[in-house]
Each structure stands twice: as C-alpha cells, then as structure tokens.
Amino acid sequence: MLDTLAGMYKRPFRAGPEDATKMIVISDADVAMNVVTQKRDPRDTPMGWNQFTDYQYANKDFLLNCIEYLVNPSGILETRSKDITLRLLDTKKVDDEKTKWQIVNISLPIVLILLFGFIYGFARRKKYVGV
C-alpha cells in the first residue's frame, strides 16, 4: 500500500503528522444527547439529565472541557490541575509504635465485643429471671 501511494503521487509517504495532534475518544453516544419527554419542554431538559432518577450528570462540563482541550493550545486545563503532595509518615516513629498500634487494632475490637456481650447477657438475665 505504501509503495502504491508513493508511485501514484510521486512523493514519499509521510509516517506521521507534522504538528502534534490531540484526540478524545468517547465510547457512548448518549453523552451529548438530551432526553425529550412529554412531561417537560425539550428546551428545559439540560444535557446529562436522567429522567428516571431526576439527577443531572456533568456531561455538559465534560464536553466543554473536551472542546477546550482540543482547541486551546495554551493548556488552560493544565493550570486548573491540582497539586497533590504526599505527606509521608515519620519512619522512626512508625517503627517505634508499630507493635503498640497492632495490639490496639487487634485486641480493642475483641474486648469491645466481649464487653458488649457480657452487658447484653447480664441485662437479659436481669429482665427474664423474674418471669
């Protein structure tokens, strides 16, 4: 196929685009569709509104951001991105208190369940002993 094109147009086949390109692939056509019902005026149904749950999804915002990404070369979406900083734990403190927190996380729930069981059994005994 490449040889056929090169012979037909008298120039070599270009392997890729000259400029960087962008593409967005959306696999559901209902993203841009509005619901038309008998109960509501079609002009009053916003994009992304679900008639069964009466919930509006952010389809309109998503499509506007997609268009802005494709058209705007300055990268306004990159300026909106959030900075995420990882706050790591102090490794010395973790090593020092590791066994303490393991014991607390294992034994405290067991102790609470046993305590609740004793209180519940005591309350039932007290209530039904005189019956």
Side-chain angles (χ1 to χ4, degrees), residues 97-110:
E97 298 183 4
K98 181 179 179 179
T99 54
K100 177 181 84 169
W101 287 111
Q102 284 178 341
I103 292 170
V104 167
N105 285 327
I106 291 172
S107 63
L108 187 64
I110 294 171

Side-chain angles (χ1 to χ4, degrees), residues 42-68:
R43 293 172 293 197
D44 293 338
T45 57
M47 183 183 298
W49 176 69
N50 187 341
Q51 64 182 347
F52 302 110
T53 60
D54 198 31
Y55 183 79
Q56 183 172 351
Y57 297 98
N59 294 0
K60 182 178 178 181
D61 296 333
F62 172 71
L63 289 176
L64 288 174
N65 284 338
C66 288
I67 292 170
E68 186 175 349

Side-chain angles (χ1 to χ4, degrees), residues 12-27:
F13 183 74
R14 197 170 23 167
E18 293 175 0
D19 298 330
T21 60
K22 299 176 184 178
M23 179 182 2
I24 295 175
V25 178
I26 302 170
S27 64

